[in-house]
Amino acid sequence: MTARLPSLNGLRAFEEAARHLSFTLAAAELNVTQTAISHQIRRLELELGVKLFVRQNRALTLTAEAQEYLPGVRAAFNDLKLATDRLLRRDSDHVLTVSTLASLAAKWLLPKLSAFQEAHPGIDVHITTSTNLVDFRSGDVDAAIRYGRGQWPGLRADWLMADELFPVCSPALLDGKKPLQRPEDLADHVLLHTSAASNDDWRLWLTAAGLPTNLSKQPGVTFDLVFMTVQAAIDGMGVAMGRTSYVEADIAKGRLVVPFDIALPADAGFYLVSPEARADAPKLSAFRHWLRASIHGKGEELGKGDELRKPEPLPEAKQPARRRRV
């Protein structure tokens, strides 16, 4: 007849109490009260029909039966821990969690992901969006795509791409009631902003174009997220300050146009950021190489030393003939 297994909580309490020879220290280790440990041990002794501890002169000792039982209990817990670690490690080996900004995910990353899945069907990609810095110590995120200068202490930052800043709008605005043909014509149109950040983008671009910066303060519409601003421009609501990564697909498909020939280089770029200790994990290496190859239009994976510091040009059919960078 098969013996019924004793309570797992009781066995855990027994193993901890036997290791410390103290109910108090076992309780602290398991984050329960000393009374709870005492009750679990007593219940285990009743289940087994064997006395496990001897209490005398404020000291705790193991009975002969407990000394014989303890190695098997410890071995069982070690086997359980190892089996669980193997299970979780096996599961996480094919799950890649990437954090990025919501607008970058919507307008740039997600349209590309199907190609990665075709190339690496064994990797399950999870995309999470947040404007907060990632705490890699939690282990919940493998990598993050972030904008900056690549200086994050303790992390590996792999260059992806730069952006240019330039106004974009619906093709309908070029020949509407108030045609948008020169930068000065912006005074007759609604400027679209994304929170406070694009106000500075507009100011920088207007300065480069030789226009008064107070144009950026004229009545307009402000959105929380970039992809909402881009969609408003597509819908003809006004003129948005575009960044290459957010608008290149819509320009290629004719939903947006670049009305002027002035583009402002951004002073930072996008990086794939990951903890140094996990940066070369197979799933992350595969994603990094594919992502950089995709960005730079290479059919084969790029080596770690390959870098391209300029964004890819906009499609010739969709950009002005005299586009210049300032």
Side-chain angles (χ1 to χ4, degrees):
M1 181 176 180
T2 304
R4 185 171 64 87
L5 289 175
S7 163
L8 186 61
N9 286 337
L11 290 174
R12 189 65 173 145
F14 165 63
E15 196 274 334
E16 290 291 346
R19 176 156 23 115
H20 297 289
L21 289 178
S22 167
F23 285 1
T24 301
L25 294 178
E29 187 80 20
L30 297 177
N31 198 28
V32 296
T33 65
Q34 180 181 346
T35 301
I37 292 293
S38 181
H39 286 167
Q40 289 172 357
I41 295 295
R42 188 177 301 115
R43 185 178 305 142
L44 179 63
E45 290 176 330
L46 290 173
E47 287 184 68
L48 296 173
V50 174
K51 192 170 182 63
L52 299 172
F53 292 96
V54 177
R55 304 165 184 83
Q56 53 185 5
N57 298 326
R58 296 186 178 181
L60 194 66
T61 61
L62 293 172
T63 65
E65 292 84 356
Q67 291 178 19
E68 183 180 351
Y69 189 42
L70 181 59
V73 173
R74 281 183 174 162
F77 274 115
N78 284 336
D79 287 345
L80 183 60
K81 182 179 182 301
L82 289 173
T84 302
D85 287 345
R86 284 195 297 268
L87 174 66
L88 295 180
R89 187 164 56 249
R90 183 187 65 190
D91 184 62
S92 63
D93 280 347
H94 77 275
V95 177
L96 177 68
T97 302
V98 179
S99 170
T100 187
L101 304 173
S103 294
L104 189 67
K107 302 301 294 183
W108 179 78
L109 180 58
L110 296 186
K112 302 175 182 292
L113 271 184
S114 60
F116 177 76
Q117 291 175 321
E118 290 179 6
H120 301 277
I123 300 177
D124 184 9
V125 182
H126 292 184
I127 302 298
T128 177
T129 61
S130 173
T131 57
N132 298 325
L133 294 178
V134 174
D135 182 3
F136 287 109
R137 292 173 299 180
S138 69
D140 295 332
V141 175
D142 296 297
I145 300 175
R146 285 294 184 264
Y147 187 80
R149 294 179 174 84
Q151 298 173 351
W152 293 280
L155 300 175
R156 173 171 166 178
D158 291 280
W159 170 262
L160 295 179
M161 61 185 174
D163 270 345
E164 288 184 336
L165 305 176
F166 46 87
V168 292
C169 65
S170 165
L173 266 62
L174 299 182
D175 301 310
K177 293 181 180 179
K178 297 179 179 180
L180 188 61
Q181 299 178 349
R182 303 174 304 160
E184 292 81 357
D185 295 334
L186 286 170
D188 298 323
H189 291 267
V190 174
L191 299 189
L192 305 175
H193 304 275
T194 307
S195 61
S198 66
N199 286 331
D200 197 48
D201 289 349
W202 269 114
R203 181 182 60 78
L204 292 172
W205 187 88
L206 289 169
T207 299
L211 297 174
T213 57
N214 60 8
L215 273 178
S216 66
K217 299 179 181 179
Q218 70 187 38
V221 182
T222 301
F223 300 90
D224 288 338
L225 300 173
V226 176
F227 77 85
M228 298 170 64
T229 309
V230 173
Q231 187 59 50
I234 292 173
D235 293 339
M237 187 179 294
V239 184
M241 180 55 60
R243 285 180 176 265
T244 310
S245 55
Y246 292 105
V247 300
E248 59 184 356
D250 292 311
I251 292 172
K253 293 181 179 180
R255 294 189 290 257
L256 290 174
V257 294
V258 183
F260 314 121
D261 66 346
I262 300 172
L264 184 69
D267 62 351
F270 287 98
Y271 291 80
L272 182 67
V273 184
S274 55
E276 285 281 3
R278 306 199 300 270
D280 291 319
K283 62 182 179 181
L284 185 50
S285 292
F287 184 73
R288 180 189 301 112
H289 292 164
W290 167 82
L291 190 59
R292 298 178 72 220
S294 173
I295 290 168
H296 302 314
K298 300 291 184 70
E300 299 178 358
E301 292 182 343
L302 294 171
K304 183 178 178 180
D306 292 334
E307 291 190 356
L308 185 61
R309 290 281 170 177
K310 295 180 181 179
E312 294 199 0
L314 297 172
E316 292 295 333
K318 302 299 180 183
Q319 63 181 353
R322 301 185 318 280
R323 189 158 181 257
R324 58 187 174 91
R325 300 172 77 237
V326 294

